[in-house]
Amino acid sequence: MAEIGVLGLGVMGRNLSLNLADHGYRTALYNRHYHVTEAFLRRCREQEPSWRRLQGFREMEDFVDAIERPRRIVLLVKAGEATDLTIENLLPFLDPGDVVIDCGNAHWLDTIRRERELRRRELLFIGCGISGGESGARFGPSLMAGGSREAWERIEAIWRDIAAKVDPETGEPIEGAAPGRPVSGGEPCAALVGENGAGHYVKTVHNGIEYIDMQLIAESYWLLKHLGGFSNPELAEIYSRWNEGELASYLIAITARILSQPDPRGDGYLIDRILDRAGQKGTGKWAADSALALGVPANALAEAVFARYLSSRKDERLQASRRLASVPVGRVDDPPGWSEQVRHALYCAKICAYAQGFQLLRAAQQEYGWRFDFAAIARIWRGGCIIRARFLNLIASAYQRKPDLANLLLADDFQSALHQGHPAWRQTVATAVLNGMAVPAMSAALAYYDGYRSERLPANLIQAQRDFFGAHTYERTDQPGRRFHFDWVGGKRETVVE
Ligand code: 6PG
């Protein structure tokens, strides 16, 4: 009998199945089109050492029957309607106590609904965020599970086995897994983060941070390239160097690799031939939507999503570039000094990106009744996922020391990094602006930082305007706890509003 079943053999399903098999799990496989299952198993026989642990089925009923009870069935199908349809088709074959684990990029509200519906039928449901793309699924992803403790206990050992691992001493990811040779030991990047939709929510925030991080790195690349005049090999060298320090992360590492890749179709570098129109599947927007809905000032997140939208309007931008006034882009006098400035700006802005992500988690746990362990979330993001980064160790320790920390900006390590880096960050944003270069995420993050640390903001004027045109009332600094309205047109009377 199989110990687990995987339903859906797209890229993620295939790779997760191989990961399970590598860890010794007998795995039943099912795909809507049987020829996909056949082709996958044929390839496995030729290339994969652990293929014997995989068994494919043509009929859904046979697939379900082949799994030992109570069953564990992983869904890796398209998020949305396809997931609902798959669950509906699966239901007649399931028995009470079976657990269904949705590893797609589902919206957390769908997961909350599905968990409730399945619970009514005495079935367990886990919505599990999975990050790390194809190679993560194959050799160790970061796994963010949401569901009941009972459901989690049924998959915990497997999840810990197949997840990415970090060195417990250094907190660095342990690499080196290969087909048939999984990484052993280390701290697994898998955890139950909360009930029902919590896992998918945490994954959505992960993706929101991913969007900001990517946008910030893209802005830094543009500033170094145009104002610093660095060539692609020089840029690759800079990012490789940055990857040795506090910015060390998967996204910085792949940026260095990308920038040094020659164009396979001709002279020059591939990066210079890639169209500057960013795509998106929508999870960054979900995170930004949620920030707006929950009243969290995640402006860098919103800007990162908007920047993708703006980039996709390539034709409009082309027209506008010929018609709208611009300034000539200059060159800085001291390129090495400039790259240091940009590095500080990137790090400071990155701190704000994570601060905004964790603020979002904080607001969401109130809204949905979850109780997040922020340190644990930071820990499972240290390996396997797209935003894995050395500084998540600092975030984990900050929350471990102070679980109710109001904002990551206030953690000691980040306070001092911001103290040291903010002059360079300001200089970087100012230089970009004066040279007509858009740095939406870097400048939004700076506005967030400056706004957050301001005792007073010009919101007094906004309150006055609201009171002027709509009698929306205001509070006075010298009379706390009471609301007032002023007769702005008559100019005489201020009344206390009860
Ligand atoms: C991950 C990623 C992944 C996501 C891609 C594409 O953690 O492995 O977040 O889940 O699908 O990054 O996202 P966009 O198409 O929206 O950029």
Side-chain angles (χ1 to χ4, degrees):
M1 291 292 274
E3 289 149 287
I4 190 163
V6 174
L7 196 162
L9 295 178
V11 179
M12 294 300 278
R14 293 198 300 271
N15 283 290
L16 201 76
S17 307
L18 288 168
N19 187 352
L20 285 161
D22 269 0
H23 283 87
Y25 293 105
R26 295 182 307 279
T27 307
L29 306 176
Y30 176 84
N31 193 73
R32 195 155 52 106
H33 304 292
Y34 185 58
H35 67 90
V36 173
T37 315
E38 277 185 312
F40 172 52
L41 286 172
R42 207 175 314 123
R43 240 173 306 126
C44 289
R45 262 176 224 125
E46 286 156 18
Q47 299 166 3
E48 299 290 341
S50 31
W51 66 271
R52 280 171 198 284
R53 301 198 185 99
L54 301 174
Q55 201 188 353
F57 295 87
R58 187 187 292 271
E59 303 301 328
M60 192 184 267
E61 185 171 4
D62 297 336
F63 159 74
V64 175
D65 279 348
I67 305 166
E68 56 190 35
R69 287 164 68 176
R71 304 178 181 90
R72 291 175 275 239
I73 299 180
V74 180
L75 304 186
L76 269 156
V77 297
K78 212 165 171 286
E81 264 175 56
T83 305
D84 283 320
L85 209 66
T86 306
I87 294 175
E88 210 179 294
N89 292 338
L90 204 51
L91 280 176
F93 310 122
L94 298 181
D95 294 295
D98 287 351
V99 53
V100 176
I101 309 125
D102 177 15
C103 284
N105 262 337
H107 194 286
W108 66 94
L109 292 179
D110 285 336
T111 305
I112 292 174
R113 168 178 57 79
R114 288 176 187 137
E115 199 271 342
R116 200 174 42 231
E117 285 168 5
L118 265 68
R119 192 155 22 93
R120 253 189 251 129
R121 295 167 184 262
E122 295 175 56
L123 294 165
L124 302 172
F125 188 73
I126 287 190
C128 185
I130 169 167
S131 175
E134 189 177 341
S135 91
R138 177 69 186 87
F139 298 114
S142 170
L143 295 164
M144 302 148 243
S148 66
R149 185 143 293 278
E150 183 191 357
W152 170 243
E153 279 164 6
R154 299 274 311 288
I155 63 160
E156 184 176 0
I158 304 179
W159 252 228
R160 289 169 69 87
D161 274 350
I162 63 169
K165 309 286 184 312
V166 295
D167 184 315
E169 299 285 305
T170 62
E172 297 284 331
I174 304 174
E175 312 282 351
R181 208 160 40 79
V183 159
S184 59
E187 213 177 293
C189 296
L192 176 71
V193 296
E195 295 273 329
N196 49 60
H200 279 137
Y201 192 86
V202 170
K203 174 66 200 320
T204 301
V205 172
H206 164 285
N207 281 25
I209 297 174
E210 173 184 308
Y211 272 51
I212 316 176
D213 216 347
M214 289 169 76
Q215 176 63 28
L216 288 172
I217 296 172
E219 290 172 14
S220 72
Y221 148 68
W222 216 227
L223 295 175
L224 292 173
K225 180 181 169 77
H226 292 289
L227 296 172
F230 292 106
S231 66
N232 287 323
E234 287 168 338
L235 289 167
E237 171 67 34
I238 291 174
Y239 285 101
S240 298
R241 214 174 41 244
W242 288 2
N243 199 41
E244 302 294 311
E246 60 198 4
L247 280 168
S249 59
Y250 171 72
L251 285 169
I252 292 284
I254 65 166
T255 301
R257 288 272 298 277
I258 291 166
L259 291 166
S260 55
Q261 176 61 51
D263 183 356
R265 289 176 186 271
D267 294 341
Y269 288 84
L270 181 54
I271 186 68
D272 297 321
R273 296 275 169 274
I274 295 179
L275 189 65
D276 52 333
R277 199 153 54 185
Q280 55 186 311
K281 297 209 196 77
T283 45
K285 176 186 170 293
W286 288 353
D289 279 346
S290 180
L292 281 174
L294 298 175
V296 177
N299 64 342
L301 169 57
E303 285 296 348
V305 179
F306 291 150
R308 290 201 192 185
Y309 290 151
L310 190 67
S311 80
S312 70
R313 299 184 173 221
K314 176 78 181 176
D315 298 340
E316 263 178 82
R317 286 196 284 121
L318 199 64
Q319 296 297 323
S321 73
R322 298 190 182 122
R323 294 167 60 177
L324 297 179
S326 64
V327 285
V329 175
R331 276 285 159 85
V332 296
D333 297 332
D334 169 21
W338 175 238
S339 88
E340 271 307 282
Q341 259 181 24
V342 176
R343 181 175 66 80
H344 278 297
L346 182 55
Y347 189 57
C348 290
K350 192 180 162 105
I351 295 172
C352 292
Y354 280 74
Q356 295 186 3
F358 278 89
Q359 292 296 95
L360 201 48
L361 289 174
R362 218 180 150 80
Q365 69 172 359
Q366 288 238 310
E367 175 77 9
Y368 299 107
W370 301 319
R371 273 178 68 83
F372 288 135
D373 176 343
F374 299 122
I377 292 172
R379 278 199 300 273
I380 60 169
W381 283 348
R382 291 177 304 170
C385 68
I386 305 295
I387 65 169
R388 61 187 182 263
R390 181 171 296 164
F391 97 140
L392 277 157
N393 284 303
L394 298 181
I395 299 183
S397 345
Y399 280 121
Q400 221 159 310
R401 276 196 301 270
K402 213 165 182 275
D404 60 345
L405 185 68
N407 188 314
L408 268 180
L409 300 186
L410 301 172
D412 292 346
D413 287 322
F414 298 132
Q415 263 190 57
S416 54
L418 291 160
H419 184 77
Q420 198 200 344
H422 83 104
W425 185 13
R426 295 181 192 291
Q427 201 59 48
T428 304
V429 171
T431 309
V433 171
L434 289 172
N435 283 277
M437 297 181 69
V439 283
M442 220 176 250
S443 54
L446 181 55
Y448 175 75
Y449 171 73
D450 279 332
Y452 190 72
R453 59 159 196 84
S454 292
E455 190 187 337
R456 297 205 65 179
L457 288 170
N460 50 343
L461 180 58
I462 293 172
Q463 285 300 80
Q465 290 167 334
R466 291 178 69 242
D467 190 56
F468 194 115
F469 60 66
H472 293 298
T473 76
Y474 51 86
E475 292 163 288
R476 292 184 59 104
T477 54
D478 52 1
Q479 304 224 20
R482 304 170 87 185
R483 304 200 68 87
F484 298 87
H485 168 62
F486 186 61
D487 170 18
W488 296 93
V489 181
K492 291 220 171 59
R493 257 178 24 146
E494 184 183 65
T495 44
V496 179
V497 183
E498 296 309 333

